[in-house]
C-alpha cells in the first residue's frame, strides 16, 4: 500500500512549503494539485475558453499537456513545452483557478490524473480536497490554517522575493474572496476531513510545522 499524507488548507497557510520539505525528508513523491487548477485556468485563458463554458473547461483540464520537472529549487512546471512556473503563480491566475475549480466536470477530469501520483514509496498531496475526496483512505491528514492577515503578509513577502508586484490590501481582499469561494462551493468545498488534524500555523515557524507533521507519520 502506497502511503499518502494529505495537506489541505487555504491559500498562504504554508502547504506548498511544508509539502516540499516533507517530500524531501521522507523521500516521497509530491502532488501540487493547485497547480493543475492553475494550469487549467491559464490554458483556458490562452485558448480563449470562457470561464462559464463548463464543457470547454473540462476539455482543457482533460487535455493538459503538463510535466512537473524536479529541479534544485523545487519543481518546474512545463505546459506544452513552455516553462510556466512563474506564470501560474500570478494572483489573477489563482483567482481564475478558484473559478474553474468550482466546476464539477473540471474536477472529474483531473481526478484520475491526481490519483496517478500515488506511487511507492509514498505521496505528499497538497490541495483543498486531498483528504476529503481524492485520497479519502490516507492515513495521515492535515488541515493547515493561519489567520487571513498572516497569510496575506506571507504572500506579499513571497511575491516580492520573486520580483513580482504585491499590494497587501489587494492580496488580503483576494485571499478572503478565494477562501469564501473555495469554502462555499458545492463541489469538493475546502473543509477539514473528519479524520484530519487541524494545525494553525499563524504563530509557528516552518520548522515547527514540519516537526508536528513528522510526529504524526
Ligand atoms: N509557518 C510559516 N511561517 C512563516 N512563513 C511561512 C510559514 N509557512 C510558509 N511560509 C511562507 O509563506 C509563503 C506562502 O507559503 P506557501 O507554502 O506557498 O503557502 P500555500 O501553499 O498554503 O499557499 C511562502 O513564502 C512561505 O515561505
Ligand atoms: N485540490 C485543490 C487544489 C486547488 N484548488 C483550487 O485551486 C486554487 C489554487 O490553488 P493553490 O493551492 O495553487 O493556491 P494557493 O494555496 O497556492 O494560493 C484554489 O483557490 C482552489 O480553488 C482546488 O479546488 N482543489
Amino acid at each position: 500500500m502506497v502511503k499518502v499524507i494529505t495537506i489541505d488548507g487555504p491559500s498562504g497557510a504554508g502547504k506548498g512549503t511544508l509539502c516540499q520539505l516533507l517530500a524531501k525528508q521522507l523521500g516521497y513523491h509530491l502532488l501540487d494539485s493547485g497547480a493543475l487548477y492553475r494550469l487549467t485556468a491559464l490554458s483556458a485563458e490562452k485558448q480563449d475558453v470562457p470561464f462559464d463554458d463548463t464543457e470547454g473547461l473540462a476539455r482543457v483540464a482533460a487535455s493538459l499537456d503538463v510535466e512537473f520537472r524536479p529541479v534544485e529549487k523545487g519543481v518546474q512546471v512545463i505546459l506544452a513545452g513552455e516553462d510556466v512556473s512563474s506564470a501560474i503563480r500570478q494572483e489573477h491566475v489563482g483567482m481564475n483557478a478558484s473559478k474553474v475549480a468550482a466546476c464539477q466536470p473540471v474536477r472529474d477530469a483531473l481526478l484520475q490524473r491526481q490519483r496517478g501520483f500515488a506511487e511507492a514509496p509514498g505521496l505528499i498531496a497538497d490541495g483543498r480536497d486531498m483528504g476529503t475526496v481524492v485520497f479519502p483512505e490516507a492515513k495521515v491528514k492535515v488541515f493547515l490554517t493561519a489567520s487571513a492577515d498572516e497569510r496575506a503578509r506571507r504572500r506579499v513577502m513571497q511575491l516580492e522575493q520573486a520580483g513580482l508586484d504585491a499590494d497587501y490590501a489587494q492580496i488580503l481582499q483576494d485571499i478572503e474572496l478565494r477562501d469564501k469561494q473555495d469554502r462555499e462551493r458545492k463541489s469538493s468545498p475546502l473543509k477539514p476531513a473528519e479524520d484530519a488534524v487541524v494545525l494553525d500555523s499563524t504563530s509557528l515557524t516552518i520548522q515547527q510545522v514540519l516537526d508536528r507533521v513528522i510526529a504524526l507519520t
Side-chain angles (χ1 to χ4, degrees):
M1 215 352 219
V2 177
K3 284 194 180 161
V4 179
I5 299 178
T6 63
I7 312 287
D8 289 306
S11 181
K15 303 179 303 297
T17 308
L18 170 66
C19 288
Q20 288 211 6
L21 293 170
L22 281 172
K24 200 166 169 200
Q25 185 156 336
L26 299 171
Y28 283 13
H29 298 278
L30 178 63
L31 164 61
D32 175 1
S33 63
L36 295 173
Y37 291 94
R38 286 174 180 267
L39 286 160
T40 303
L42 186 71
S43 293
E45 196 183 327
K46 283 179 188 280
Q47 294 173 43
D48 288 324
V49 176
F51 290 126
D52 59 359
D53 175 2
T54 309
E55 294 311 313
L57 291 175
R59 268 197 304 279
V60 170
S63 61
L64 281 179
D65 172 12
V66 56
E67 186 196 339
F68 293 98
R69 221 178 260 170
V71 287
E72 210 196 323
K73 277 190 121 190
V75 176
Q76 234 176 20
V77 185
I78 312 292
L79 177 66
E82 186 190 346
D83 182 354
V84 294
S85 316
S86 300
I88 59 164
R89 296 295 153 203
Q90 300 171 92
E91 271 305 299
H92 86 275
V93 178
M95 193 58 80
N96 288 342
S98 174
K99 281 186 201 145
V100 307
C103 167
Q104 186 62 48
V106 168
R107 307 199 74 85
D108 294 342
L110 294 175
L111 185 62
Q112 289 313 324
R113 191 193 287 251
Q114 294 175 82
R115 290 191 174 148
F117 280 76
E119 286 188 350
L123 177 71
I124 310 294
D126 168 351
R128 300 291 187 287
D129 62 342
M130 298 295 98
T132 50
V133 176
V134 182
F135 301 107
E137 308 297 327
K139 290 283 174 283
V140 177
K141 299 181 183 179
V142 174
F143 191 83
L144 189 64
T145 65
S147 70
D149 281 351
E150 172 65 12
R151 290 186 283 124
R153 197 185 64 78
R154 291 178 186 173
R155 187 64 86 214
V156 167
M157 279 175 50
Q158 187 181 33
L159 290 168
E160 283 175 348
Q161 276 165 13
L164 296 168
D165 283 344
D167 172 64
Y168 176 83
Q170 182 64 51
I171 289 197
L172 179 61
Q173 197 184 350
D174 284 2
I175 276 186
E176 287 177 333
L177 177 60
R178 194 135 65 88
D179 282 359
K180 186 171 155 58
Q181 270 172 201
D182 291 351
R183 289 197 168 109
E184 293 181 357
R185 70 185 179 211
K186 283 202 187 71
S187 301
S188 307
L190 169 66
K191 64 170 182 195
E194 278 179 13
D195 49 350
V197 172
V198 178
L199 191 55
D200 186 336
S201 76
T202 308
S203 46
L204 296 178
T205 63
I206 293 172
Q207 186 63 45
Q208 286 171 324
V209 173
L210 178 65
D211 290 345
R212 289 188 193 203
V213 176
I214 288 286
L216 299 172
T217 63

